[in-house]
Amino acid sequence: MDQTPINGEQRTKLVNAGKMNFFHWLIVVISVALTFTAWHYTKSQLNEKLELKFQRYAEQTISLVQERMGLYANALWGGVAYIDAANIDIKHTDWLAYANSLKIDTTYPGINGIGIIYNVKASQLSHYMEDQLALRPNYTIHPAHNEPEYWPITYVEPAINNQKAIGLDMAFEVNRYTAIKKARDSGEANLTGPITLVQDAKQTPGFLFYTPFYKNGKKPESIAQRQALIIGVVYAPFIMKKLMLGTLAKQNRHVSIKISDSGKLLFDDNTEGVSSSFDPNPLFSKKVDVYFYGRVWTFEIQSNTDFRKEAAADQSFFILIGGLTIDAFLLALFIFLTRANRKALAYADKMTAVLQDKTKDLEKSNRDLEKFSYIASHDLKSPLNSIKQLANWIHEDCENVLPKESQNHLDILMRRCERMMKLLNDLLAYARIDKTEFKKERVNLYDMNQDIISLIDIPIGFTCTAPNVEIDVPASPLEIVLRNLVSNSIKHHDKECGKISILYNANKDFHIITVEDDGPGIPQEFHDKVMHMFQTLKPRDKVEGSGMGLAMVKQIVEHYGGSVAIASNGTRGTKFIIKWKK
């Protein structure tokens, strides 16, 4: 059959495989598109993750400030409870003892002090001053104002840090006065708007924190009653920077903070120099209004450089670079493969020419082998038969003349002629194994075994059994295999009687036929050797045979896609396990 069209079509495919075609470019384009899609998706997911992290940091910061302000409110209400419980006029020494018990510096970091401000009506001023001057001759109320009442700071501790505040009248300034009246009227804690504390030499933003206390030690029901029964307020002055340092000192913050009240700046991380990680171009920022004891503080929170560094470790940019690198490698691989295909095609052309020459030589060798087979079949058999016949005649004619030794020599000559004839027949059969294909047919192993027994004339004392099983296999090749194995078992048996069994099993892919005998066994080291041509384990003069039986078995079984294995302990018994492909 002419193979030129097929080869031409195959060559066209190989030539096309050596080029960068549409399919290759499509894969590269899709890969790049997937890379950018993955990068965009990862970037959006990362941004959402970072934004959630920023929101968490911002909420934590605000919560810290809220918790700290709640702690200070509790301290001031504690002062109110102390005054209510004492139920007497609090003297300076009493308040000093109470303030010392609070351990302000360690328990309330960020607070600038804690004190009492009394509400003094104009009619009460002279009596109030007499009481204060009796203990503190230098005590004065300042500065002057036009309000009908006074709210002087009577006590504040630690006094050494707040000396300028002692005697300061809250009514002189609108923020201080408005907040203290709101505290009086509401009965709740209240903050002032942004102010500058007189005791702050740096004149930075601050505020005051008031908690009111009344006559009879409880909060009156109505505003009018509260105004009538007010005694004063417990208060605390705060410098905003000091407050924030005390509140956030132990926090490893990833955000910067700016706090304002009604547009007036209270605190700024950047300008106060509290944080060295201010980010002029923050990744995230937010503005939150938080209610604090009568005031609304606006928190402007933004991510800082520490947050940027933390986010940089997860940048989707690396995914993009990695993906594009892989795409570049993919393109390079396609180019390399197409070049390799072209080289392979050129090499294949070269090898094809060489193989064509070798094929011609092989075809010539096969023809010569066929001629040799014919010669071996006809020209060699005839002389051998003649030699055997002549030896037989000499033996018959000279049986009583020749010495015993010469008669033995003639017997050896005839046996070796028979061996040579068998060797020629086996060689011809072995050479023809791959030349003939046999179709599958229904074979009964029991019947085939009976045919084999009658053909090889099994000796008395030997038995050979097989199961009554029908299988679909090429009959003639299987018969040759089983006949050789049964004959081999009898030939090499070391006793006058023996038992040979043909067993059958199967799996999805193979018929498994086992020929088992109770002969002397084959040592493990000879299992491979006996399957080769012209190999026997006993001398040729002891066992007649060409040494090709097992080689022929192996050749036939492997030709039909199967395998042959030997199982023997080398002492007694041998199994030949044949896997014949279904």
Side-chain angles (χ1 to χ4, degrees):
M1 182 178 177
D2 187 8
Q3 297 293 320
T4 303
I6 297 176
N7 290 337
E9 182 181 344
Q10 291 174 343
R11 181 177 177 80
T12 301
K13 291 180 179 179
L14 289 172
V15 170
N16 290 334
K19 300 177 182 178
M20 283 286 289
N21 54 42
F22 171 78
F23 177 72
H24 295 107
W25 288 113
L26 179 62
I27 291 177
V28 172
V29 170
I30 291 175
S31 179
V32 171
L34 288 175
T35 297
F36 276 98
T37 301
W39 167 72
H40 178 74
Y41 176 77
T42 306
K43 185 178 180 181
S44 63
Q45 291 293 103
L46 178 61
N47 284 339
E48 290 180 10
K49 178 181 175 182
L50 291 175
E51 186 172 3
L52 287 174
K53 186 181 290 187
F54 167 75
Q55 296 291 349
R56 187 168 63 251
Y57 285 145
E59 290 170 3
Q60 287 175 349
T61 301
I62 294 173
S63 294
L64 282 173
V65 177
Q66 289 175 319
E67 289 172 7
R68 184 54 58 90
M69 293 302 293
L71 180 67
Y72 296 147
N74 290 337
L76 295 180
W77 284 118
V80 170
Y82 170 70
I83 295 171
D84 290 341
N87 199 26
I88 57 173
D89 290 339
I90 301 298
K91 304 299 182 183
H92 178 254
T93 53
D94 300 327
W95 190 250
L96 176 61
Y98 173 74
N100 289 337
S101 70
L102 294 179
K103 298 180 180 178
I104 292 174
D105 291 340
T106 56
T107 308
Y108 303 99
I111 197 170
N112 214 55
I114 186 168
I116 298 177
I117 300 174
Y118 283 108
N119 177 231
V120 181
K121 307 299 182 184
S123 59
Q124 300 169 334
L125 180 59
S126 58
H127 178 70
Y128 171 82
M129 288 301 299
E130 288 178 6
D131 288 344
Q132 299 305 317
L133 290 174
L135 298 173
R136 295 179 289 177
N138 296 325
Y139 179 82
T140 59
I141 296 177
H142 59 89
H145 58 78
N146 297 319
E147 297 299 333
E149 60 180 348
Y150 304 89
W151 293 87
I153 297 175
T154 307
Y155 311 123
V156 60
E157 296 295 337
I160 192 170
N161 297 329
N162 296 282
Q163 194 65 43
K164 292 183 178 180
I166 297 174
L168 185 69
D169 190 345
M170 299 297 100
F172 89 96
E173 188 266 328
V174 64
N175 275 329
R176 292 173 172 84
Y177 192 31
T178 300
I180 208 167
K181 288 190 292 183
K182 283 177 64 177
R184 175 197 64 192
D185 294 347
S186 65
E188 304 292 339
N190 266 266
L191 299 178
T192 68
I195 62 172
T196 301
L197 301 184
V198 295
Q199 58 267 49
D200 182 11
K202 295 183 178 180
Q203 300 293 289
T204 58
F207 61 90
L208 301 180
F209 202 174
Y210 302 129
T211 54
F213 56 94
Y214 303 89
K215 293 177 182 178
N216 301 322
K218 66 177 183 177
K219 175 182 172 181
E221 295 295 328
S222 65
I223 293 177
Q225 289 177 328
R226 293 171 200 150
Q227 291 175 349
L229 299 176
I230 186 70
I231 297 175
V233 297
V234 176
Y235 96 107
F238 290 88
I239 298 172
M240 193 64 184
K241 178 179 177 180
K242 185 177 178 182
L243 168 67
M244 295 304 294
L245 287 173
T247 303
L248 304 176
K250 295 183 180 180
Q251 187 195 22
N252 184 20
R253 288 189 291 127
H254 291 74
V255 293
S256 297
I257 305 169
K258 184 177 181 181
I259 304 174
S260 58
D261 182 338
S262 300
K264 294 182 179 180
L265 184 66
L266 281 172
F267 176 78
D268 189 342
D269 261 346
N270 187 33
T271 58
E272 295 291 351
V274 174
S275 174
S276 60
S277 53
F278 178 77
D279 191 346
N281 297 301
L283 296 176
F284 301 99
S285 62
K286 67 181 298 185
K287 182 182 288 189
V288 182
D289 289 335
V290 182
Y291 180 82
F292 278 99
Y293 303 101
R295 305 294 301 181
V296 176
W297 285 2
T298 301
F299 285 75
E300 296 178 53
I301 303 174
Q302 66 178 42
S303 58
N304 59 18
T305 55
D306 290 337
F307 185 92
R308 185 181 291 275
K309 290 176 184 176
E310 186 181 65
D314 299 322
Q315 285 295 335
S316 56
F317 174 76
F318 295 110
I319 295 176
L320 177 62
I321 295 300
L324 291 177
T325 301
I326 293 173
D327 295 338
F329 278 126
L330 183 63
L331 179 60
L333 177 63
F334 284 154
I335 294 173
F336 171 78
L337 290 176
T338 53
R339 290 180 179 177
N341 282 338
R342 289 196 294 270
K343 290 182 180 180
L345 183 59
Y347 182 73
D349 290 340
K350 180 179 178 181
M351 293 306 299
T352 299
V354 174
L355 288 174
Q356 286 175 344
D357 293 338
K358 290 186 176 181
T359 300
K360 292 178 181 177
D361 294 339
L362 183 59
E363 290 174 350
K364 182 177 180 299
S365 297
N366 287 336
R367 289 193 297 270
D368 293 342
L369 181 59
E370 289 178 3
K371 291 179 181 178
F372 169 76
S373 299
Y374 178 80
I375 292 171
S377 177
H378 296 83
D379 296 353
L380 291 179
K381 283 185 178 181
S382 296
L384 275 174
N385 280 327
S386 298
I387 294 170
K388 180 181 177 183
Q389 189 65 40
L390 285 171
N392 190 43
W393 288 342
I394 293 172
H395 186 273
E396 290 176 354
D397 293 342
C398 303
E399 183 176 4
N400 298 323
V401 177
L402 291 173
K404 189 69 175 176
E405 185 178 355
S406 295
Q407 292 182 22
N408 290 336
H409 289 164
L410 283 174
D411 290 337
I412 292 172
L413 176 61
M414 287 188 289
R415 286 198 305 270
R416 291 191 176 174
C417 284
E418 290 175 358
R419 185 191 304 165
M420 189 66 182
M421 186 66 69
K422 181 172 177 55
L423 178 60
L424 285 173
N425 290 332
D426 288 347
L427 277 172
L428 286 171
Y430 187 82
R432 290 170 180 166
I433 287 174
D434 296 339
K435 303 295 188 295
T436 306
E437 288 294 333
F438 294 89
K439 293 183 179 180
K440 290 182 180 181
E441 54 185 289
R442 180 56 58 96
V443 172
N444 187 293
L445 289 180
Y446 177 82
D447 294 341
M448 180 174 282
N449 179 54
Q450 295 303 311
D451 292 340
I452 292 171
I453 290 173
S454 62
L455 181 64
I456 65 177
D457 193 16
I458 187 170
I460 297 174
F462 281 83
T463 62
C464 183
T465 60
N468 188 11
V469 175
E470 291 188 346
I471 57 176
D472 293 323
V473 292
S476 294
L478 179 60
E479 190 274 336
I480 294 171
V481 168
L482 294 180
R483 175 161 44 85
N484 272 279
L485 291 175
V486 171
S487 177
N488 192 71
S489 295
I490 296 171
K491 188 190 306 179
H492 291 280
H493 209 288
D494 57 349
K495 296 181 180 180
E496 294 183 356
C497 59
K499 181 181 178 182
I500 303 167
S501 301
I502 299 175
L503 309 173
Y504 177 79
N505 202 345
N507 60 27
K508 183 176 67 174
D509 300 315
F510 292 95
H511 301 290
I512 303 173
I513 302 170
T514 303
V515 179
E516 181 179 1
D517 64 48
D518 56 356
I522 302 174
Q524 179 71 34
E525 60 269 23
F526 296 119
H527 285 189
D528 184 61
K529 178 181 178 182
V530 298
M531 302 301 292
H532 291 80
M533 293 175 65
F534 310 122
Q535 298 294 326
T536 61
L537 298 182
K538 293 182 178 181
R540 297 289 171 84
D541 290 333
K542 290 186 178 181
V543 178
E544 288 297 332
S546 62
M548 292 189 61
L550 293 181
M552 192 178 301
V553 167
K554 184 173 185 289
Q555 178 79 353
I556 291 173
V557 174
E558 290 182 351
H559 176 69
Y560 286 96
S563 64
V564 181
I566 299 175
S568 177
N569 59 12
T571 303
R572 178 57 55 186
T574 303
K575 292 181 182 179
F576 288 89
I577 303 167
I578 301 164
K579 288 186 176 181
W580 195 290
K581 194 168 185 180
K582 288 185 176 180

